[in-house]
Amino acid sequence: MHENYDLDQLLELVRTKQFRRLRELLDDMNEVDIAEFLDELGPEETILVFRLLPKEVAAEVFTELEDSDDQERLINALSDKELREVLDELYLDDTVDLIEDMPANVVSRILRNTDATTRTQINQLLNYPKDSAGSIMTTEYVYLHPNATVEESFARIRKVGMDKETVYTCYVTQRRVLLGVVTVRRMLLSSYDTRIGDIMETNVLSVNTHEDKEDVAQLLNKYDLYALPVVDGEDRLVGIITFDDAMDVIEEETTEDFEKMAAILPSDKPYLKTGVLETWKARIPWLLLLMLSATFTGIIITSFESALAACVVLTSFIPMLSGTGGNSGSQSSVAVIRALSLDEIDFSDMLLVVWKEIRVAVLCGVCLACANFVKMMIVDRYLMHNPEVTPLVALVVCLTLVFTVICAKVVGCTLPMCAEKIGIDPAVMASPFITTIVDALSLLIYFFIATRLLGLNT
C-alpha cells in the first residue's frame, strides 16, 4: 500500500459503508495500490468497491489483480454493459492474457461482449504458440506513412493515439512492411513540412512472431528499448512488445526457474492463493524422484560397510563432505544457469567454463582442506579427545574435500549446459538434482582414498 494511504482507514470505510468518502480516497490512489487494497477484501466487498471506480481506472485495476480467481469473480458479477466498458478500456494484449487464464464459459462471455474486429485480433493472437513473441505482443501501435509530413503525422497521432499502448515511438510502414521507426522527439525537432521518410531510423531491431518471448524480453533489456516491433515472415509489421510485457515475462521466467531449482513444479498462482493439495502435487514428484535417486548413496555406503566398521570415525565426516560437495555444485550451477539465461555463454563455451571452474575449485578445495585439517587436529583430536582422528585420517578427509569440490563444480557447470543443448530447461539441473549426484561421487572418492591410504578392506 502506498505510504500516503492507510489500509486500516480504507477497510473501516468499507465496513461502515462510507462509500462517498471511500470514492474520494480511491480517486487519488494509484491503480496498483487499489488492486492491493481489493486483495484485502472479501468477494462481495471487492465487487462493491470495484463498482465505485471510474471505468478507465477500473480497467487498469482489473489488469493489476494478481489472482485470476478474483478477475473471474468480478467478470461473473458485472453486467454485460459494465463488462463491455472494462473490456473497451483494456489493451488487446491484456485482454488476451485474461482470456488465457479463464474457463471456457467466462471466455465465451468476454468474446460475446467485444466487437467483431477485436474478436478477430484476439483469435489471431491466441493462435500463436504460448512462449512466442506473437502471444505477448499488442496490435495497438501507431504507424505512419514514409511520404507523410510531420504535420500530417501529428494529426494522425492525435486522432488514433489515445487508444494505443505507446505514441512516443511510431512505426513507418508501406503496404504493412516495416521500413523504419521515428520518435515523437525527432518529429518535434523537425519542421512541419519534413517527410517522415527523411527523418526515420532505418536500422530497426525487430523480432519474428515465433521468436521465444524470453529472448525478446532480454533484447528489450539489453538495448534499453521501450518497445520492440514484431514482424511476420515477410517483414510485415503485425504488433509491438512493450517493456511492461517484457518485465512480466522476466518475472514469470525467474519465478519458474526458482521453482525448478528448488525441485518444485512451476505454478502461476501466488503462494497464499495456492491450495494445499495443489502445492503437494507440485512438490511430491521431485521429492519422490530425489528420494529414489538417493538409493545410490545407500548402496555405496553398504558396499563399504566393512571399511567403515574398521574405521568408524570416517562415518562422522560423511555429512560434512556431502554437504560441502552439494554446496559447491550449487554455486557453479546457479552461476552457469544465470549466464545461460543472459546469453553470456552457450554450449560452445563448455571447455572455457569447465577450465575456469576447475581452477576455482582447486583454490576453494585447498582452502577448505587446510581449514578442515586444522579444525580436525585442534577440535576433534585435542579438545574433544578423540584419538581415532589421526593425522592420516585428517589427510583422507581433506584430500576427499579437494577432489569432491572439483568434481562438484565440474558437474555443477556442465549439467545445465548439457541440459540446454538437448532442449531441457537448465534450471532443472540445479541444487537438488546436482546434490544427489555429488553425494554419490563424494562417497566414492572418500572410500577410494580411505581404502588406499588407510589400508582398509572392502
Side-chain angles (χ1 to χ4, degrees):
M1 183 65 60
H2 194 280
E3 61 183 1
N4 290 340
Y5 300 101
D6 182 5
L7 176 60
D8 293 332
Q9 180 191 5
L10 294 172
L11 292 173
E12 179 65 18
L13 291 174
V14 174
R15 190 183 67 79
T16 56
K17 295 182 168 52
Q18 299 180 51
F19 297 123
R20 179 173 295 183
R21 175 60 181 153
L22 180 61
R23 179 183 288 175
E24 291 173 0
L25 291 178
L26 292 175
D27 284 343
D28 294 330
M29 288 175 63
N30 183 278
E31 291 84 357
V32 177
D33 293 330
I34 297 174
E36 289 180 2
F37 168 52
L38 291 182
D39 248 356
E40 302 293 328
L41 302 176
E44 292 182 4
E45 294 170 332
T46 300
I47 295 163
L48 196 61
V49 173
F50 187 81
R51 284 195 163 113
L52 296 176
L53 303 172
K55 61 180 182 179
E56 300 86 358
V57 177
E60 289 290 335
V61 171
F62 191 85
T63 60
E64 294 294 341
L65 291 172
E66 286 191 3
D67 191 359
S68 59
D69 290 340
D70 291 337
Q71 293 177 324
E72 183 183 347
R73 196 179 298 115
L74 277 174
I75 291 171
N76 289 329
L78 296 176
S79 67
D80 282 351
K81 180 177 180 294
E82 290 171 323
L83 181 57
R84 274 195 298 274
E85 288 177 350
V86 171
L87 292 173
D88 285 345
E89 295 297 327
L90 288 179
Y91 289 120
L92 194 61
D93 55 336
D94 291 328
T95 306
V96 172
D97 290 341
L98 171 66
I99 286 174
E100 286 179 333
D101 294 331
M102 292 293 132
N105 62 315
V106 178
V107 172
S108 298
R109 185 161 178 243
I110 291 172
L111 293 176
R112 213 168 45 240
N113 284 280
T114 55
D115 59 72
T117 303
T118 303
R119 275 198 301 275
T120 302
Q121 292 174 320
I122 288 173
N123 288 326
Q124 180 185 351
L125 292 177
L126 288 173
N127 284 330
Y128 288 111
K130 184 181 177 183
D131 292 326
S132 68
S135 70
I136 61 168
M137 71 181 182
T138 179
T139 57
E140 291 159 326
Y141 55 89
V142 177
Y143 62 89
L144 304 174
H145 195 277
N147 293 329
T149 64
V150 168
E151 185 175 13
E152 291 168 340
S153 298
F154 273 131
R156 174 171 171 74
I157 292 171
R158 292 188 191 97
K159 181 180 177 182
V160 304
M162 186 62 70
D163 298 324
K164 305 305 179 185
E165 192 138 342
T166 176
V167 297
Y168 178 73
T169 303
C170 301
Y171 300 88
V172 186
T173 64
Q174 191 165 22
R175 297 187 185 88
R176 291 185 58 202
V177 175
L178 180 64
L179 302 179
V181 297
V182 62
T183 63
V184 170
R185 178 176 181 271
R186 184 71 186 271
M187 292 166 64
L188 282 170
L189 297 175
S190 303
S191 61
Y192 272 3
D193 57 354
T194 305
R195 299 286 176 186
I196 292 297
D198 295 332
I199 58 173
M200 69 180 183
E201 175 64 53
T202 55
N203 186 21
V204 184
L205 182 66
S206 62
V207 294
N208 187 270
T209 51
H210 286 81
E211 194 154 339
D212 188 273
K213 64 182 183 181
E214 191 174 0
D215 294 337
V216 174
Q218 289 170 3
L219 274 177
L220 276 160
N221 182 54
K222 179 179 179 180
Y223 293 102
D224 199 21
L225 299 171
Y226 180 77
L228 195 60
V230 183
V231 298
D232 61 14
E234 298 175 1
D235 283 334
R236 292 177 299 191
L237 182 63
V238 292
I240 64 169
I241 295 173
T242 54
F243 79 96
D244 57 325
D245 298 319
M247 287 182 68
D248 289 340
V249 170
I250 290 171
E251 181 182 356
E252 178 187 322
E253 294 294 335
T254 302
T255 302
E256 188 176 304
D257 284 349
F258 272 124
E259 288 174 330
K260 287 179 178 177
M261 289 167 72
I264 302 173
L265 295 179
S267 169
D268 57 357
K269 288 187 178 180
Y271 175 77
L272 291 176
K273 301 284 186 179
T274 308
V276 173
L277 285 176
E278 198 172 343
T279 304
W280 166 74
K281 287 177 184 177
R283 297 181 184 182
I284 197 63
W286 270 106
L287 289 175
L288 286 170
L289 177 63
L290 294 171
M291 180 187 72
L292 294 174
S293 63
T295 306
F296 292 111
T297 59
I299 293 172
I300 294 169
I301 291 175
T302 303
S303 301
F304 290 92
E305 199 169 4
S306 57
L308 286 173
C311 190
V312 179
V313 73
L314 292 176
T315 308
S316 61
F317 299 107
I318 290 176
M320 182 270 293
L321 292 170
S322 297
T324 303
N327 292 335
S328 300
S330 297
Q331 285 181 336
S332 298
S333 67
V334 169
V336 168
I337 289 168
R338 179 183 179 277
L340 286 169
S341 67
L342 296 176
D343 284 333
E344 295 175 352
I345 58 173
D346 55 35
F347 189 76
S348 62
D349 299 313
M350 173 79 82
L351 291 178
L352 290 174
V353 173
V354 171
W355 176 230
K356 176 184 176 178
E357 288 297 330
I358 287 176
R359 287 178 291 168
V360 172
V362 170
L363 292 173
C364 291
V366 170
C367 285
L368 290 170
C370 292
N372 188 62
F373 189 88
V374 173
K375 173 259 178 188
M376 289 181 70
M377 288 295 95
I378 295 176
V379 177
D380 296 285
R381 183 173 176 83
Y382 295 109
L383 294 182
M384 297 182 69
H385 307 291
N386 190 346
E388 292 186 12
V389 181
T390 63
L392 193 56
V393 168
L395 179 63
V396 168
V397 175
C398 293
L399 283 175
T400 303
L401 259 180
V402 174
F403 288 108
T404 295
V405 170
I406 292 173
C407 285
K409 289 198 175 292
V410 170
V411 169
C413 72
T414 54
L415 277 184
M417 298 182 77
C418 291
E420 186 179 59
K421 180 66 176 177
I422 62 177
I424 300 174
D425 192 330
V428 174
M429 298 296 176
S431 301
F433 198 78
I434 287 173
T435 299
T436 303
I437 295 173
V438 171
D439 281 350
L441 288 175
S442 65
L443 286 173
L444 288 171
I445 294 168
Y446 191 29
F447 291 126
F448 177 81
I449 293 175
T451 52
R452 296 299 183 276
L453 294 186
L454 299 177
L456 302 176
N457 295 319
T458 58

